[in-house]
Amino acid sequence: MEIVYVYTRKRSEFGRQCNFSDRPAELHVDILPDPSQALNFIERNPCDIGIQCAHNMSEHEVNTERFEMEVRGINHVEGGWPKDINPQEMEQTSRYRKKVEKDDHYITTITQLGNVMEHCIKQNNSINIYEEYFEEEEELEGMDEAPSAKTINVFRDPSEIKRTATHLSWHPDGGRKLAVAYSCLEFQRAPKEMSYDSYIWDIENPNKPELTLKPVSPLVSLEYNPKDSHILVGGCYNGQIAYWDTRKGGQPVELSVIEHSHRDPVYKVIWLQSKTGTECFSTSTDGQVLWWDLRKMSEPTEKMILDITKKGNLDLALGGISLEFEPTIPTKFMVGTEQGMVISCNRKAKTPAEKIVCTYSGHHGPIYAVQRNPFFPKNFLTVGDWTARIWSEDSRESSIMWTKYHTSYLTDAAWSPVRPSVFLTTKMDGTLDVWDYLFKQNNPSLSLKVCDEALYSLRFQDNGRFVACGSKMGLTTLLELSPGLCTIQRNEKNIATAMFERETKREKILEARHREMRLKERSKAEPSKEEETKDDKPEENMEEMIAKAEKEFFEIIEAERKRREQEVKKQAGDEDQEKEVSEEKEIHLQA
């Protein structure tokens, strides 16, 4: 027997919304307490309960999951041919292709794939809603803003024993990567367990280096090849030159033979603008400049000794610590030395003596950086001791402009690649100074404290917007400059040209004046014939001169001692006189 209950509803009520209403509570079930159930529970006595009148509040931290990007290459190979057809035979493939094209399914399949391809192409051709159409106008309006810089990323040395970031090199294709050379430059103070590795960083991923370079000796310098972005050349602490191909891993492809390499650390390596793109040259504090070809690393293709006496003596050579090469002037290059002198050289000279063209002397210590202005190659920047100096090739006796003497040592400098009057300097106190000579010449336009330890290296990106700084403890900081510092201003080139020419002219006038004064002094100093006959007489004996100097010295000391005794006596007399006056006053008061 089945119980069936039929619910009926009017058709007019179908789809009508529900109407809810309040009604009083109804008791459906009443369960009475059972005292026997109390035996199943454990009594808590006493029972502590925390009560507060305020809401419970707590701090929560939420960290989003890190998104890691990985780039992989794919090689496409033509396939899909039947087994009975040889893809190498053009006749078979063309016959099969014609057969397939006549099939009805082929047309429908191509039509379907065409729609997908069309959709992808339209996506690529879609409008960029973030594109700025009036960049120049906006940048010109923002020139009045105060110069500033902000930190974008920080790359830390992954090794346990921290080393100095001695050299930086940007990837030539867009600057997406940064190669950093790490080494300890303190002579014989490097720990035994110190790592030799240097790294290539992806600027968007500071957590882990993209590639680890494993040299035989710590790298002091490292440079990307501007023609082939997979090739890097590095100068080692032991004087060897090595090069890497990033497609083959972190081990060096080839090393220079140590017998034909530098004898000191290779402080600078620069690529040459050659057709093959495999030539470079290097300098070291051993006083040599060596040219290399990666196709033959057994020995240098050419040598040059930095002997300014032009005798070619390696014992008299000055130690090279910085290099400068301008591709637009392929025969000339400049070397900054440990002795505070810049040597201008000509590689294509016929004899070794003629290779040293001239010298510029103006620093009191090693010249850590030499760089030509990218807009005015006749003017170059040097950094040494406590100043940065701007020179002109036309004025050899003195620099045309210079910064003030800082309290901290300067370590590196670089011209802006987009503004002819802007350059940056790093200092031992961890400060990055931005100099804009059109705006201010006495003080930097912007002084930024990057880190607490000393900054050692500096490198501009090609667009002039980003700059990387390396510190003593292996900290590489990536900074972004404000638009005003990386956008050329109206008439800036003309103003900078006039400024450099004016200062060069002033220095030339001063040099001519100094020459005249020296000639006059020389003419006065030339003795007459009578004086020459007197000069022929033997000079005073050395012992008599020493005795005379000692006598004068003791006379000065005795005179000073007497003067001080008189001052003491005079002071004591004044005190006695004051004492007598005070005693007379007391007697007078008592009377």
Side-chain angles (χ1 to χ4, degrees), residues 100-138:
V100 172
E101 288 175 357
K102 291 179 181 178
D103 193 358
D104 295 336
H105 295 291
Y106 175 79
I107 298 172
T108 55
T109 306
I110 290 297
T111 307
Q112 292 174 359
L113 292 174
N115 294 331
V116 177
M117 183 60 67
E118 185 182 5
H119 174 70
C120 295
I121 292 171
K122 287 181 177 179
Q123 279 187 327
N124 291 336
N125 294 333
S126 60
I127 297 172
N128 181 12
I129 62 174
Y130 300 105
E131 184 179 357
E132 295 181 5
Y133 293 96
F134 307 101
E135 291 182 359
E136 296 180 1
E137 283 74 5
E138 289 181 5

mmCIF file of all heavy atoms in Angstrom, residues 100-138:
data_model
loop_
_atom_site.group_PDB
_atom_site.id
_atom_site.type_symbol
_atom_site.label_atom_id
_atom_site.label_comp_id
_atom_site.label_asym_id
_atom_site.label_seq_id
_atom_site.Cartn_x
_atom_site.Cartn_y
_atom_site.Cartn_z
ATOM 1 N N VAL A 100 47.260 16.175 -50.138
ATOM 2 C CA VAL A 100 46.597 16.607 -48.909
ATOM 3 C C VAL A 100 45.760 17.859 -49.147
ATOM 4 O O VAL A 100 44.656 18.020 -48.608
ATOM 5 C CB VAL A 100 47.646 16.852 -47.801
ATOM 6 C CG1 VAL A 100 47.021 17.488 -46.584
ATOM 7 C CG2 VAL A 100 48.318 15.548 -47.416
ATOM 8 N N GLU A 101 46.278 18.800 -49.945
ATOM 9 C CA GLU A 101 45.558 20.048 -50.189
ATOM 10 C C GLU A 101 44.229 19.828 -50.910
ATOM 11 O O GLU A 101 43.327 20.648 -50.827
ATOM 12 C CB GLU A 101 46.457 20.996 -50.998
ATOM 13 C CG GLU A 101 47.609 21.565 -50.184
ATOM 14 C CD GLU A 101 48.553 22.408 -51.020
ATOM 15 O OE1 GLU A 101 48.337 22.487 -52.245
ATOM 16 O OE2 GLU A 101 49.509 22.967 -50.449
ATOM 17 N N LYS A 102 44.101 18.736 -51.647
ATOM 18 C CA LYS A 102 42.846 18.450 -52.340
ATOM 19 C C LYS A 102 41.794 17.861 -51.408
ATOM 20 O O LYS A 102 40.611 17.808 -51.766
ATOM 21 C CB LYS A 102 43.108 17.472 -53.486
ATOM 22 C CG LYS A 102 43.909 18.076 -54.634
ATOM 23 C CD LYS A 102 44.154 17.046 -55.724
ATOM 24 C CE LYS A 102 44.978 17.651 -56.865
ATOM 25 N NZ LYS A 102 45.267 16.649 -57.922
ATOM 26 N N ASP A 103 42.202 17.410 -50.242
ATOM 27 C CA ASP A 103 41.266 16.800 -49.301
ATOM 28 C C ASP A 103 40.344 17.867 -48.709
ATOM 29 O O ASP A 103 40.755 18.996 -48.429
ATOM 30 C CB ASP A 103 42.056 16.109 -48.190
ATOM 31 C CG ASP A 103 41.174 15.198 -47.352
ATOM 32 O OD1 ASP A 103 39.961 15.150 -47.619
ATOM 33 O OD2 ASP A 103 41.706 14.537 -46.442
ATOM 34 N N ASP A 104 39.035 17.478 -48.485
ATOM 35 C CA ASP A 104 38.056 18.429 -47.934
ATOM 36 C C ASP A 104 38.373 18.786 -46.485
ATOM 37 O O ASP A 104 38.161 19.927 -46.041
ATOM 38 C CB ASP A 104 36.645 17.832 -48.029
ATOM 39 C CG ASP A 104 36.211 17.640 -49.476
ATOM 40 O OD1 ASP A 104 36.754 18.352 -50.345
ATOM 41 O OD2 ASP A 104 35.337 16.788 -49.721
ATOM 42 N N HIS A 105 38.877 17.819 -45.703
ATOM 43 C CA HIS A 105 39.190 18.086 -44.302
ATOM 44 C C HIS A 105 40.323 19.114 -44.170
ATOM 45 O O HIS A 105 40.409 19.832 -43.183
ATOM 46 C CB HIS A 105 39.585 16.782 -43.591
ATOM 47 C CG HIS A 105 38.469 15.789 -43.501
ATOM 48 N ND1 HIS A 105 37.354 15.971 -42.719
ATOM 49 C CD2 HIS A 105 38.300 14.599 -44.135
ATOM 50 C CE1 HIS A 105 36.546 14.948 -42.844
ATOM 51 N NE2 HIS A 105 37.091 14.074 -43.713
ATOM 52 N N TYR A 106 41.194 19.152 -45.143
ATOM 53 C CA TYR A 106 42.317 20.102 -45.112
ATOM 54 C C TYR A 106 41.814 21.544 -45.097
ATOM 55 O O TYR A 106 42.278 22.383 -44.322
ATOM 56 C CB TYR A 106 43.218 19.870 -46.336
ATOM 57 C CG TYR A 106 44.348 20.865 -46.467
ATOM 58 C CD1 TYR A 106 45.502 20.752 -45.707
ATOM 59 C CD2 TYR A 106 44.248 21.932 -47.359
ATOM 60 C CE1 TYR A 106 46.522 21.663 -45.825
ATOM 61 C CE2 TYR A 106 45.273 22.847 -47.489
ATOM 62 C CZ TYR A 106 46.411 22.709 -46.722
ATOM 63 O OH TYR A 106 47.430 23.612 -46.838
ATOM 64 N N ILE A 107 40.800 21.825 -45.930
ATOM 65 C CA ILE A 107 40.263 23.190 -46.013
ATOM 66 C C ILE A 107 39.593 23.584 -44.708
ATOM 67 O O ILE A 107 39.805 24.680 -44.171
ATOM 68 C CB ILE A 107 39.281 23.296 -47.195
ATOM 69 C CG1 ILE A 107 40.025 23.005 -48.508
ATOM 70 C CG2 ILE A 107 38.633 24.672 -47.244
ATOM 71 C CD1 ILE A 107 39.115 22.886 -49.706
ATOM 72 N N THR A 108 38.781 22.695 -44.153
ATOM 73 C CA THR A 108 38.097 23.009 -42.884
ATOM 74 C C THR A 108 39.098 23.194 -41.738
ATOM 75 O O THR A 108 38.950 24.081 -40.900
ATOM 76 C CB THR A 108 37.109 21.896 -42.540
ATOM 77 O OG1 THR A 108 37.814 20.639 -42.511
ATOM 78 C CG2 THR A 108 35.993 21.807 -43.573
ATOM 79 N N THR A 109 40.137 22.335 -41.728
ATOM 80 C CA THR A 109 41.152 22.458 -40.658
ATOM 81 C C THR A 109 41.908 23.783 -40.758
ATOM 82 O O THR A 109 42.131 24.467 -39.744
ATOM 83 C CB THR A 109 42.152 21.291 -40.752
ATOM 84 O OG1 THR A 109 41.443 20.059 -40.743
ATOM 85 C CG2 THR A 109 43.126 21.334 -39.583
ATOM 86 N N ILE A 110 42.301 24.159 -41.983
ATOM 87 C CA ILE A 110 43.014 25.419 -42.174
ATOM 88 C C ILE A 110 42.134 26.606 -41.785
ATOM 89 O O ILE A 110 42.595 27.588 -41.185
ATOM 90 C CB ILE A 110 43.486 25.551 -43.642
ATOM 91 C CG1 ILE A 110 44.611 24.551 -43.925
ATOM 92 C CG2 ILE A 110 43.975 26.968 -43.938
ATOM 93 C CD1 ILE A 110 45.858 24.760 -43.122
ATOM 94 N N THR A 111 40.830 26.499 -42.104
ATOM 95 C CA THR A 111 39.900 27.584 -41.740
ATOM 96 C C THR A 111 39.823 27.742 -40.227
ATOM 97 O O THR A 111 39.837 28.862 -39.693
ATOM 98 C CB THR A 111 38.507 27.292 -42.322
ATOM 99 O OG1 THR A 111 38.628 27.053 -43.728
ATOM 100 C CG2 THR A 111 37.569 28.459 -42.090
ATOM 101 N N GLN A 112 39.737 26.619 -39.511
ATOM 102 C CA GLN A 112 39.668 26.692 -38.050
ATOM 103 C C GLN A 112 40.979 27.261 -37.469
ATOM 104 O O GLN A 112 40.956 28.116 -36.581
ATOM 105 C CB GLN A 112 39.411 25.301 -37.477
ATOM 106 C CG GLN A 112 38.017 24.760 -37.805
ATOM 107 C CD GLN A 112 37.857 23.329 -37.348
ATOM 108 O OE1 GLN A 112 38.781 22.733 -36.799
ATOM 109 N NE2 GLN A 112 36.686 22.750 -37.589
ATOM 110 N N LEU A 113 42.118 26.758 -37.963
ATOM 111 C CA LEU A 113 43.403 27.275 -37.464
ATOM 112 C C LEU A 113 43.593 28.745 -37.826
ATOM 113 O O LEU A 113 44.219 29.507 -37.082
ATOM 114 C CB LEU A 113 44.553 26.453 -38.052
ATOM 115 C CG LEU A 113 44.659 25.005 -37.572
ATOM 116 C CD1 LEU A 113 45.746 24.276 -38.340
ATOM 117 C CD2 LEU A 113 44.966 24.955 -36.090
ATOM 118 N N GLY A 114 43.057 29.152 -38.992
ATOM 119 C CA GLY A 114 43.165 30.553 -39.393
ATOM 120 C C GLY A 114 42.477 31.489 -38.428
ATOM 121 O O GLY A 114 42.974 32.579 -38.132
ATOM 122 N N ASN A 115 41.319 31.063 -37.902
ATOM 123 C CA ASN A 115 40.608 31.899 -36.925
ATOM 124 C C ASN A 115 41.427 32.072 -35.646
ATOM 125 O O ASN A 115 41.499 33.158 -35.076
ATOM 126 C CB ASN A 115 39.249 31.274 -36.601
ATOM 127 C CG ASN A 115 38.329 31.282 -37.808
ATOM 128 O OD1 ASN A 115 38.428 32.145 -38.667
ATOM 129 N ND2 ASN A 115 37.422 30.305 -37.872
ATOM 130 N N VAL A 116 42.065 30.969 -35.189
ATOM 131 C CA VAL A 116 42.905 31.050 -33.981
ATOM 132 C C VAL A 116 44.108 31.963 -34.211
ATOM 133 O O VAL A 116 44.449 32.809 -33.379
ATOM 134 C CB VAL A 116 43.374 29.633 -33.569
ATOM 135 C CG1 VAL A 116 44.294 29.711 -32.361
ATOM 136 C CG2 VAL A 116 42.187 28.743 -33.269
ATOM 137 N N MET A 117 44.752 31.807 -35.379
ATOM 138 C CA MET A 117 45.903 32.638 -35.701
ATOM 139 C C MET A 117 45.519 34.110 -35.821
ATOM 140 O O MET A 117 46.233 35.003 -35.371
ATOM 141 C CB MET A 117 46.542 32.139 -36.999
ATOM 142 C CG MET A 117 47.795 32.901 -37.400
ATOM 143 S SD MET A 117 49.104 32.795 -36.162
ATOM 144 C CE MET A 117 49.506 31.063 -36.260
ATOM 145 N N GLU A 118 44.357 34.357 -36.423
ATOM 146 C CA GLU A 118 43.884 35.738 -36.567
ATOM 147 C C GLU A 118 43.652 36.377 -35.205
ATOM 148 O O GLU A 118 43.981 37.545 -34.975
ATOM 149 C CB GLU A 118 42.603 35.745 -37.397
ATOM 150 C CG GLU A 118 42.104 37.161 -37.712
ATOM 151 C CD GLU A 118 40.801 37.129 -38.490
ATOM 152 O OE1 GLU A 118 40.252 36.024 -38.702
ATOM 153 O OE2 GLU A 118 40.322 38.202 -38.884
ATOM 154 N N HIS A 119 43.103 35.578 -34.275
ATOM 155 C CA HIS A 119 42.870 36.085 -32.927
ATOM 156 C C HIS A 119 44.194 36.461 -32.246
ATOM 157 O O HIS A 119 44.307 37.515 -31.614
ATOM 158 C CB HIS A 119 42.126 35.026 -32.113
ATOM 159 C CG HIS A 119 41.955 35.395 -30.667
ATOM 160 N ND1 HIS A 119 41.119 36.406 -30.244
ATOM 161 C CD2 HIS A 119 42.532 34.891 -29.545
ATOM 162 C CE1 HIS A 119 41.186 36.512 -28.923
ATOM 163 N NE2 HIS A 119 42.035 35.596 -28.481
ATOM 164 N N CYS A 120 45.215 35.584 -32.410
ATOM 165 C CA CYS A 120 46.523 35.866 -31.799
ATOM 166 C C CYS A 120 47.167 37.108 -32.407
ATOM 167 O O CYS A 120 47.769 37.930 -31.704
ATOM 168 C CB CYS A 120 47.449 34.666 -31.982
ATOM 169 S SG CYS A 120 46.915 33.190 -31.107
ATOM 170 N N ILE A 121 47.049 37.268 -33.723
ATOM 171 C CA ILE A 121 47.630 38.441 -34.384
ATOM 172 C C ILE A 121 46.945 39.707 -33.920
ATOM 173 O O ILE A 121 47.580 40.745 -33.670
ATOM 174 C CB ILE A 121 47.533 38.276 -35.910
ATOM 175 C CG1 ILE A 121 48.455 37.147 -36.380
ATOM 176 C CG2 ILE A 121 47.905 39.573 -36.624
ATOM 177 C CD1 ILE A 121 48.283 36.772 -37.822
ATOM 178 N N LYS A 122 45.625 39.649 -33.768
ATOM 179 C CA LYS A 122 44.896 40.831 -33.291
ATOM 180 C C LYS A 122 45.292 41.180 -31.869
ATOM 181 O O LYS A 122 45.331 42.351 -31.491
ATOM 182 C CB LYS A 122 43.395 40.584 -33.389
ATOM 183 C CG LYS A 122 42.866 40.624 -34.824
ATOM 184 C CD LYS A 122 41.366 40.398 -34.856
ATOM 185 C CE LYS A 122 40.824 40.506 -36.278
ATOM 186 N NZ LYS A 122 39.371 40.266 -36.344
ATOM 187 N N GLN A 123 45.569 40.151 -31.070
ATOM 188 C CA GLN A 123 46.039 40.426 -29.710
ATOM 189 C C GLN A 123 47.373 41.155 -29.730
ATOM 190 O O GLN A 123 47.601 42.093 -28.966
ATOM 191 C CB GLN A 123 46.188 39.116 -28.933
ATOM 192 C CG GLN A 123 44.883 38.596 -28.375
ATOM 193 C CD GLN A 123 45.119 37.394 -27.475
ATOM 194 O OE1 GLN A 123 46.033 36.605 -27.722
ATOM 195 N NE2 GLN A 123 44.323 37.239 -26.447
ATOM 196 N N ASN A 124 48.277 40.726 -30.616
ATOM 197 C CA ASN A 124 49.584 41.387 -30.717
ATOM 198 C C ASN A 124 49.446 42.819 -31.219
ATOM 199 O O ASN A 124 50.247 43.695 -30.864
ATOM 200 C CB ASN A 124 50.498 40.606 -31.665
ATOM 201 C CG ASN A 124 50.894 39.267 -31.076
ATOM 202 O OD1 ASN A 124 50.882 39.098 -29.862
ATOM 203 N ND2 ASN A 124 51.216 38.314 -31.930
ATOM 204 N N ASN A 125 48.481 43.064 -32.070
ATOM 205 C CA ASN A 125 48.294 44.397 -32.642
ATOM 206 C C ASN A 125 47.347 45.267 -31.825
ATOM 207 O O ASN A 125 46.944 46.333 -32.276
ATOM 208 C CB ASN A 125 47.762 44.293 -34.075
ATOM 209 C CG ASN A 125 48.767 43.652 -35.005
ATOM 210 O OD1 ASN A 125 49.959 43.723 -34.765
ATOM 211 N ND2 ASN A 125 48.280 43.026 -36.063
ATOM 212 N N SER A 126 46.942 44.794 -30.648
ATOM 213 C CA SER A 126 46.006 45.584 -29.834
ATOM 214 C C SER A 126 46.680 46.853 -29.332
ATOM 215 O O SER A 126 47.903 46.960 -29.249
ATOM 216 C CB SER A 126 45.518 44.759 -28.651
ATOM 217 O OG SER A 126 46.598 44.383 -27.847
ATOM 218 N N ILE A 127 45.889 47.815 -28.962
ATOM 219 C CA ILE A 127 46.396 49.120 -28.532
ATOM 220 C C ILE A 127 46.931 49.025 -27.110
ATOM 221 O O ILE A 127 46.297 48.425 -26.234
ATOM 222 C CB ILE A 127 45.271 50.172 -28.616
ATOM 223 C CG1 ILE A 127 44.819 50.318 -30.066
ATOM 224 C CG2 ILE A 127 45.725 51.514 -28.064
ATOM 225 C CD1 ILE A 127 43.591 51.196 -30.231
ATOM 226 N N ASN A 128 48.088 49.605 -26.876
ATOM 227 C CA ASN A 128 48.673 49.688 -25.542
ATOM 228 C C ASN A 128 48.045 50.866 -24.812
ATOM 229 O O ASN A 128 48.306 52.030 -25.135
ATOM 230 C CB ASN A 128 50.189 49.860 -25.657
ATOM 231 C CG ASN A 128 50.848 49.937 -24.286
ATOM 232 O OD1 ASN A 128 50.212 49.649 -23.269
ATOM 233 N ND2 ASN A 128 52.110 50.309 -24.267
ATOM 234 N N ILE A 129 47.190 50.555 -23.831
ATOM 235 C CA ILE A 129 46.467 51.636 -23.145
ATOM 236 C C ILE A 129 47.392 52.455 -22.251
ATOM 237 O O ILE A 129 47.022 53.543 -21.804
ATOM 238 C CB ILE A 129 45.292 51.070 -22.312
ATOM 239 C CG1 ILE A 129 45.839 50.132 -21.219
ATOM 240 C CG2 ILE A 129 44.294 50.373 -23.210
ATOM 241 C CD1 ILE A 129 44.763 49.654 -20.257
ATOM 242 N N TYR A 130 48.625 51.945 -21.960
ATOM 243 C CA TYR A 130 49.555 52.679 -21.114
ATOM 244 C C TYR A 130 50.583 53.471 -21.929
ATOM 245 O O TYR A 130 51.506 54.050 -21.368
ATOM 246 C CB TYR A 130 50.292 51.706 -20.184
ATOM 247 C CG TYR A 130 49.369 50.945 -19.280
ATOM 248 C CD1 TYR A 130 49.074 49.608 -19.526
ATOM 249 C CD2 TYR A 130 48.771 51.554 -18.181
ATOM 250 C CE1 TYR A 130 48.214 48.894 -18.699
ATOM 251 C CE2 TYR A 130 47.913 50.858 -17.345
ATOM 252 C CZ TYR A 130 47.633 49.536 -17.609
ATOM 253 O OH TYR A 130 46.798 48.842 -16.793
ATOM 254 N N GLU A 131 50.449 53.483 -23.235
ATOM 255 C CA GLU A 131 51.423 54.177 -24.070
ATOM 256 C C GLU A 131 51.321 55.689 -23.865
ATOM 257 O O GLU A 131 50.214 56.251 -23.810
ATOM 258 C CB GLU A 131 51.179 53.837 -25.548
ATOM 259 C CG GLU A 131 52.210 54.448 -26.490
ATOM 260 C CD GLU A 131 51.956 54.074 -27.942
ATOM 261 O OE1 GLU A 131 51.009 53.301 -28.194
ATOM 262 O OE2 GLU A 131 52.697 54.552 -28.807
ATOM 263 N N GLU A 132 52.469 56.339 -23.743
ATOM 264 C CA GLU A 132 52.503 57.784 -23.553
ATOM 265 C C GLU A 132 52.812 58.447 -24.896
ATOM 266 O O GLU A 132 53.850 58.202 -25.502
ATOM 267 C CB GLU A 132 53.579 58.157 -22.524
ATOM 268 C CG GLU A 132 53.277 57.614 -21.131
ATOM 269 C CD GLU A 132 54.324 58.014 -20.117
ATOM 270 O OE1 GLU A 132 55.216 58.789 -20.506
ATOM 271 O OE2 GLU A 132 54.251 57.555 -18.970
ATOM 272 N N TYR A 133 51.890 59.277 -25.329
ATOM 273 C CA TYR A 133 52.029 59.901 -26.637
ATOM 274 C C TYR A 133 52.793 61.222 -26.569
ATOM 275 O O TYR A 133 53.282 61.711 -27.573
ATOM 276 C CB TYR A 133 50.640 60.161 -27.251
ATOM 277 C CG TYR A 133 49.898 58.892 -27.588
ATOM 278 C CD1 TYR A 133 48.982 58.351 -26.704
ATOM 279 C CD2 TYR A 133 50.138 58.222 -28.778
ATOM 280 C CE1 TYR A 133 48.301 57.191 -27.008
ATOM 281 C CE2 TYR A 133 49.468 57.054 -29.089
ATOM 282 C CZ TYR A 133 48.543 56.535 -28.198
ATOM 283 O OH TYR A 133 47.884 55.380 -28.506
ATOM 284 N N PHE A 134 52.863 61.812 -25.395
ATOM 285 C CA PHE A 134 53.477 63.137 -25.271
ATOM 286 C C PHE A 134 54.573 63.081 -24.213
ATOM 287 O O PHE A 134 54.546 63.792 -23.211
ATOM 288 C CB PHE A 134 52.418 64.192 -24.908
ATOM 289 C CG PHE A 134 51.242 64.209 -25.839
ATOM 290 C CD1 PHE A 134 50.048 63.607 -25.473
ATOM 291 C CD2 PHE A 134 51.341 64.802 -27.079
ATOM 292 C CE1 PHE A 134 48.969 63.608 -26.333
ATOM 293 C CE2 PHE A 134 50.266 64.805 -27.947
ATOM 294 C CZ PHE A 134 49.074 64.209 -27.575
ATOM 295 N N GLU A 135 55.539 62.190 -24.425
ATOM 296 C CA GLU A 135 56.616 62.015 -23.449
ATOM 297 C C GLU A 135 57.476 63.262 -23.332
ATOM 298 O O GLU A 135 57.836 63.685 -22.237
ATOM 299 C CB GLU A 135 57.489 60.833 -23.850
ATOM 300 C CG GLU A 135 56.782 59.495 -23.726
ATOM 301 C CD GLU A 135 57.699 58.350 -24.087
ATOM 302 O OE1 GLU A 135 58.857 58.639 -24.439
ATOM 303 O OE2 GLU A 135 57.265 57.192 -24.042
ATOM 304 N N GLU A 136 57.819 63.889 -24.469
ATOM 305 C CA GLU A 136 58.730 65.034 -24.440
ATOM 306 C C GLU A 136 58.130 66.190 -23.648
ATOM 307 O O GLU A 136 58.787 66.806 -22.825
ATOM 308 C CB GLU A 136 59.043 65.484 -25.870
ATOM 309 C CG GLU A 136 59.796 64.428 -26.677
ATOM 310 C CD GLU A 136 60.088 64.916 -28.079
ATOM 311 O OE1 GLU A 136 59.725 66.066 -28.389
ATOM 312 O OE2 GLU A 136 60.674 64.153 -28.862
ATOM 313 N N GLU A 137 56.840 66.475 -23.909
ATOM 314 C CA GLU A 137 56.208 67.603 -23.218
ATOM 315 C C GLU A 137 56.174 67.365 -21.718
ATOM 316 O O GLU A 137 56.475 68.245 -20.919
ATOM 317 C CB GLU A 137 54.777 67.817 -23.741
ATOM 318 C CG GLU A 137 54.706 68.496 -25.096
ATOM 319 C CD GLU A 137 55.102 67.566 -26.234
ATOM 320 O OE1 GLU A 137 55.343 66.373 -25.963
ATOM 321 O OE2 GLU A 137 55.184 68.035 -27.376
ATOM 322 N N GLU A 138 55.842 66.115 -21.309
ATOM 323 C CA GLU A 138 55.775 65.828 -19.884
ATOM 324 C C GLU A 138 57.148 65.934 -19.237
ATOM 325 O O GLU A 138 57.290 66.461 -18.142
ATOM 326 C CB GLU A 138 55.198 64.432 -19.673
ATOM 327 C CG GLU A 138 53.711 64.345 -20.005
ATOM 328 C CD GLU A 138 53.176 62.953 -19.762
ATOM 329 O OE1 GLU A 138 53.944 62.115 -19.254
ATOM 330 O OE2 GLU A 138 52.010 62.708 -20.074
#
